[in-house]
């Protein structure tokens, strides 16, 4: 055995088994924490992205409703699509459907108003990447009706529920 200058042998300079196991245990805990933190970040990002998508669908739907009704010449509020007269364009949850969001509408004219219509859109989102979770998002808006349309307000708050369908006519294009 060769003796070094301090009086220790060459085999005394390595790691012991206990030191190696302790280092590996600390490494596993560190990597596990890093993985958990990364997974948390990915889930948070996915939830934020889903929420942004739902808000974008709501904004686009509100903009479409506003653009379509602004120049209407005749508007009828209904609680069912079946009661809308033939030839009318229709806005309801099935005509503005989205594959991942369950949209519902509510339309109302404020008391004494025929030129401003208020509406509310609710989106119920059920799908997330990691688990099934239901979240409800809502947007309310109003539209000024430029053509002073003839408005028919059916009794939607009766047995059939709120006004969820709008039938409307647009002026003829030249």
């Amino acid at each position: 055995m060769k003796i070094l200058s301090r009086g220790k042998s060459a085999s005394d300079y390595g790691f012991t088994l206990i030191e190696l196991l302790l280092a590996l245990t600390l490494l596993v805990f560190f990597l596990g924490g890093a993985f958990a933190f990364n997974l948390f970040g990915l889930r948070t990002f996915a939830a934020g992205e889903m929420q942004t998508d739902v808000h974008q669908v709501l904004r686009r739907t509100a903009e479409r409703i506003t653009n379509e009704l602004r120049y209407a010449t005749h508007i009828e509020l209904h609680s069912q699509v079946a009661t809308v007269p033939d030839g009318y364009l229709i806005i309801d949850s099935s005509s503005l459907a989205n594959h991942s969001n369950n949209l519902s509408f509510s339309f109302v004219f404020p008391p004494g108003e025929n030129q401003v219509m208020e509406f509310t859109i609710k989106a119920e989102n059920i799908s997330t990447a990691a688990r099934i979770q239901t979240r409800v998002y809502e947007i309310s808006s109003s539209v000024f009706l430029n053509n002073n349309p003839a408005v028919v307000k059916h009794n939607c708050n009766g047995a059939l529920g709120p006004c969820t369908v709008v039938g409307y006519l647009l002026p003829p294009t030249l």
Side-chain angles (χ1 to χ4, degrees):
M1 193 184 285
K2 182 177 177 182
I3 300 202
L4 300 174
S5 64
R6 291 193 180 179
K8 293 188 178 185
S9 67
S11 64
D12 290 340
Y13 284 98
F15 293 108
T16 65
L17 181 61
I18 293 176
E19 291 171 335
L20 284 175
L21 288 176
L22 183 62
L24 285 175
T25 303
L26 290 174
L27 180 65
V28 165
F29 278 122
F30 175 74
L31 290 177
F35 178 75
F37 185 73
N38 188 28
L39 187 62
F40 172 76
L42 289 174
R43 285 184 179 168
T44 302
F45 177 78
E49 188 176 25
M50 178 201 64
Q51 184 177 4
T52 301
D53 290 344
V54 172
H55 282 249
Q56 185 175 5
V57 166
L58 288 174
R59 283 192 308 272
R60 283 184 187 163
T61 304
E63 183 179 355
R64 181 173 173 194
I65 290 171
T66 300
N67 289 339
E68 289 189 16
L69 293 179
R70 179 171 287 139
Y71 298 106
T73 58
H74 193 89
I75 294 177
E76 291 195 10
L77 299 179
H78 296 269
S79 58
Q80 298 177 357
V81 174
T83 60
V84 177
D86 290 338
Y88 277 66
L89 299 169
I90 296 173
I91 295 177
D92 71 333
S93 58
S94 64
S95 67
L96 298 173
N98 183 283
H99 68 283
S100 63
N101 300 307
N102 186 8
L103 296 179
S104 62
F105 300 98
S106 175
F107 301 97
V108 66
F109 282 92
E113 274 289 343
N114 275 348
Q115 279 199 276
V116 176
M117 185 176 76
E118 297 175 352
F119 60 91
T120 301
I121 308 167
K122 290 183 183 178
E124 185 176 318
N125 190 296
I126 305 172
S127 61
T128 61
R131 57 185 173 254
I132 295 177
Q133 186 176 14
T134 302
R135 292 188 180 182
V136 177
Y137 302 93
E138 182 177 316
I139 187 171
S140 295
S141 187
S142 60
V143 58
F144 181 78
L145 307 171
N146 290 340
N147 285 341
N148 198 13
V151 175
V152 177
K153 303 173 194 174
H154 293 277
N155 184 11
C156 297
N157 294 326
L160 300 176
C163 292
T164 57
V165 179
V166 172
Y168 64 101
L169 295 174
L170 292 174
T173 56
L174 299 175

